[in-house]
Structure formats: C-alpha cells, structure tokens
Amino acid sequence: MTTPSHSKNKLFLAAFVAGASVLSAGCASRGGGDNLKNTAYVARDVETLYAEAKRRLDGGAPKIAAALFDEVERQHPYSPWARRAQLMGAFSNYVAQEYNPAIQAAQRFLSIHPGNKDAPYAYYLIALCYYEQVSDVQRDQKITEQALTALQEVNRRFPTTQYAADARLKIDLVQDHLAGKEMEIGRYYEKSGKWIAAQIRFQNVVDNYQTTSHVPEALYRLTETSLALGIPSEAVKYAAVLGANYPGSEWYEKAFGLVQEHAAGVSAT
C-alpha cells in the first residue's frame, strides 16, 4: 500500500529467501552486466545458474534475478532446483514490484506442488502482491477486494502460521479501506439527494464492516438519511444504536442533536 509497508513485507519474507541460499558464494558467476539479454538461452549447469540468480537478487537486481530463476526452471525443469526457483522467481518479481508475474509464478507453483511445505509462503506471497496494489479510496477497489480474498485464504488454510498472523492484521486494514470506499460513495449519493442509494451504502458498512473505524459515521449518516426520507422512528433507532455502542463519539453527539431537533418524542420501531 505504501513504500514503508512494502519494505516491511520484504523483511518479513526474508527468512524464506535466506533458506533458499543453499549454495556457497563461490559457486556464483561474477561476470555479465545488468542486462536481461544476458540471462536467456545461455546453457549453464543448474548450480551455477541458480547461484547467479541468487547473487543478482542479493545485489539489488531483482528483475535480472527473476529472469535467471525462470531460466533455472526452463533449462532444468526436472531438477530439485526448479521447484525452489519458481518461488524465488516469484519473490524476485515481488521485490521488483512486478506483481502480475509474481502472482502468476506463485500460482503456477501451487498448481504443480499444491501440498508442498512452501505452499503457505506461495499463498502469502500472492496475497501480498494484491495488498501492495491497494489504491486510495478515490479509485476502483477491485484489487482491494482481491487482496482481502487472498489474505482470508491464507488465514483459512494456514491459521497457525506466521503468514496467517500477518494476514489477519492486513485483513483489518483492507476492510477499513473497503468501508472507506463505501462511505465515500454513500456521502456522494447523500449530497445528491439520493437518500435510498446512500442508505444502502451506509448500511453495508454497518452490516459488513462492523469492526472498522467507519461504523460510527455510517450510523450517523443513516440517522440523517432516515430523517430526510421522513422516517423519524428509523432515525431514532440508528441514533440509539450509535449511543449504545459509541457513547463518547462526536457522531453520537451530532446524531443526538438531530434527533432532538427533528424527532423529539418519536420512539424507535
């Protein structure tokens, strides 16, 4: 979502990458420039090729590393190195912020090795690739929804892993983001006098994003729109829910003022 978040996630994944460094530094070739043309169609033994890819990744050239890891798989598809190279290539693309290739590589790994011990890592890497692309609430939220689905999948499949623990934290952030988008649309409809359309959005926040920071305002907006629709009893109901759950909130104070002004003496249905 932000550069600091990307850096933190890279550090979180570093344990896997450290485990992948099974060759001594002496195996790595030191020649060649940082040019993608130098990575393809050069037949090399698998150990040298893998070590060179790892050296490029460690040296801050993730795009070159990704191409070299792809070559490991292409040139030596039946070697034990090929399986590890798939995930290392996915990680290299992630570091390079080439998220679609990273997702595709991780998905290919899962399709071929669904029960592999590194499957949790692959699922988590896919989720991170979506998460890093979450945009501000002014934009379409399809990627945000994909991030939520992928993070929930990590938590569902591997609930006791470190990946799931981090996924749960990110799920909360993504849900807050989606709720913020619903609120933005709802406010737009409310300003346009489209009260029912606005209510649908605000009610969605209350029903589906109950743990987010947007619920108090959503309840206040439901109070507002209910009064605008001429349903004071509904306004009283929403204000009461707001008061019961967020008694010290500024939104409750505003809702209470509205009810006192426009629906005094009306009981909730």
Side-chain angles (χ1 to χ4, degrees):
M1 296 173 75
T2 63
T3 300
S5 172
H6 184 77
S7 299
K8 180 180 178 182
N9 293 332
K10 281 172 61 180
L11 291 173
F12 187 77
L13 293 167
F16 174 87
V17 176
S21 184
V22 295
L23 296 175
S24 67
C27 290
S29 167
R30 299 295 176 181
D34 289 340
N35 190 324
L36 284 171
K37 290 189 297 184
N38 296 332
T39 67
Y41 310 117
V42 179
R44 280 173 277 189
D45 67 272
V46 66
E47 293 186 6
T48 299
L49 187 55
Y50 188 99
E52 174 66 5
K54 185 65 168 59
R55 183 182 76 84
R56 296 294 188 136
L57 178 60
D58 293 342
K63 287 186 179 181
I64 304 292
L68 285 167
F69 283 124
D70 285 347
E71 279 298 293
V72 171
E73 186 182 359
R74 189 184 71 81
Q75 293 186 25
H76 308 279
Y78 304 111
S79 73
W81 302 85
R83 183 175 64 246
R84 180 56 65 114
Q86 282 182 332
L87 279 185
M88 291 297 289
F91 174 76
S92 299
N93 276 312
Y94 167 78
V95 173
Q97 300 184 34
E98 297 287 343
Y99 297 121
N100 287 338
I103 291 169
Q104 290 165 5
Q107 288 174 336
R108 187 172 69 253
F109 174 87
L110 289 169
S111 69
I112 300 171
H113 314 287
N116 187 269
K117 65 181 179 62
D118 291 322
Y121 174 89
Y123 277 102
Y124 179 71
L125 184 57
I126 290 168
L128 280 189
C129 286
Y130 286 122
Y131 181 80
E132 295 288 358
Q133 298 179 80
V134 171
S135 59
D136 63 66
V137 295
Q138 304 291 329
R139 299 181 181 180
D140 178 74
Q141 296 303 302
K142 181 179 179 181
I143 286 287
T144 311
E145 292 168 357
Q146 290 174 308
L148 180 60
T149 298
L151 289 164
Q152 289 172 332
E153 187 74 356
V154 172
N155 187 48
R156 183 183 70 83
R157 287 177 177 269
F158 316 104
T160 61
T161 64
Q162 60 179 335
Y163 303 122
D166 190 62
R168 286 191 288 272
L169 295 175
K170 287 178 169 58
I171 285 169
D172 289 340
L173 294 171
V174 170
Q175 286 182 324
D176 202 79
H177 197 85
L178 288 170
K181 182 63 176 182
E182 289 293 284
M183 291 301 298
E184 182 195 35
I185 297 171
R187 290 188 210 102
Y188 171 79
Y189 284 141
E190 186 178 8
K191 288 178 182 178
S192 303
K194 299 176 181 178
W195 314 118
I196 294 177
Q199 281 208 323
I200 290 171
R201 297 291 180 164
F202 299 139
Q203 191 67 53
N204 188 38
V205 172
V206 173
D207 292 342
N208 298 316
Y209 303 103
Q210 296 177 4
T211 61
T212 70
S213 62
H214 298 281
V215 173
E217 183 186 353
L219 287 165
Y220 168 74
R221 300 294 178 188
L222 286 165
T223 304
E224 269 189 331
T225 52
S226 293
L227 289 171
L229 286 165
I231 317 173
S233 60
E234 286 292 294
V236 171
K237 180 188 74 174
Y238 288 121
V241 172
L242 184 49
N245 290 279
Y246 308 96
S249 166
E250 64 172 305
W251 297 110
Y252 172 62
E253 293 179 8
K254 294 177 71 173
F256 181 78
L258 276 179
V259 168
Q260 287 294 100
E261 183 178 355
H262 300 288
V266 176
S267 60
T269 55

